[in-house]
Amino acid sequence: MTLFYDKYATALYGVILRIVKREEIAEDVLQESLVKIWNSFQSYDADKGRLFTWVLNVSRNLAIDKIRSRQYRVGSRTQPLEESAALRQAATPTFRPEHIGLQEMTNKLNPEQKQIIDLLYFGGFTQSEVAEELNLPLGTVKTRARAAIKVLAKLIR
């Protein structure tokens, strides 16, 4: 297997990387490919083509399966913070979150929901801290917060 790896790994990795576009995923797919090749080597038929062509197709197919997978599609929608442009870009000094009018919109909530949203989003409290502050069960705080967010979402639309 060491000889096989030395001879083919670089070429296989290059093909996989072109398909999946991310190095850490390409490394995982290469490893999966090598395991699959090792476990299914008895299915290789020299009469149908060269060994390199067969291993290339196995690796290519696994890479395509990876980018079609739900896990890959969901993961590709988000970007690690280290790669995010927002991390490198400072907020403008004139940016003030209260200018977007959200705090005024909370006035349209019922008093129980408004109190919870004010503490959670404008007071910086956690849900547990709100429950403790208002002497309410945590489940009640979560339910009211969720209901308030639904109302606010409708108002924003």
Side-chain angles (χ1 to χ4, degrees):
M1 191 60 178
T2 303
L3 292 172
F4 180 86
Y5 181 86
D6 290 342
K7 186 166 183 159
Y8 295 113
T10 304
L12 296 176
Y13 178 78
V15 170
I16 294 167
L17 183 59
R18 275 187 233 120
I19 294 169
V20 299
K21 309 278 192 263
R22 292 181 51 202
E23 290 182 8
E24 63 275 1
I25 294 173
E27 291 168 0
D28 290 343
V29 172
L30 176 62
Q31 183 176 356
E32 291 172 28
S33 298
L34 294 172
V35 169
K36 184 169 185 169
I37 290 164
W38 180 262
N39 290 331
S40 61
F41 193 78
Q42 68 278 3
S43 68
Y44 166 66
D45 184 1
D47 294 335
K48 291 184 180 179
R50 295 179 27 213
L51 177 63
F52 179 73
T53 305
W54 181 74
V55 298
L56 186 65
N57 282 330
V58 169
S59 300
R60 182 181 148 278
N61 291 341
L62 281 174
I64 291 169
D65 289 346
K66 184 61 143 184
I67 63 172
R68 288 181 179 166
S69 73
R70 176 175 167 77
Q71 177 188 8
Y72 180 85
R73 288 191 317 257
V74 169
S76 66
R77 288 186 202 145
T78 59
Q79 200 177 38
L81 283 177
E82 301 83 38
E83 298 172 14
S84 172
L87 184 67
R88 295 181 295 275
Q89 184 177 16
T92 61
T94 58
F95 175 73
R96 299 190 44 192
E98 59 272 12
H99 287 173
I100 63 174
L102 186 61
Q103 198 153 18
E104 289 76 27
M105 282 187 199
T106 62
N107 292 331
K108 297 178 181 168
L109 297 172
N110 72 41
E112 295 171 335
Q113 292 172 338
K114 181 177 178 1
Q115 185 180 32
I116 289 175
I117 292 298
D118 285 345
L119 290 172
L120 284 173
Y121 293 97
F122 302 113
F125 285 58
T126 66
Q127 289 180 333
S128 299
E129 291 169 340
V130 170
E132 191 175 307
E133 177 77 18
L134 300 177
N135 198 25
L136 292 171
L138 180 58
T140 302
V141 170
K142 290 181 178 193
T143 301
R144 289 179 185 171
R146 176 104 171 111
I149 290 170
K150 283 183 177 181
V151 170
L152 290 172
K154 286 180 183 175
L155 291 173
I156 290 173
R157 290 185 194 138

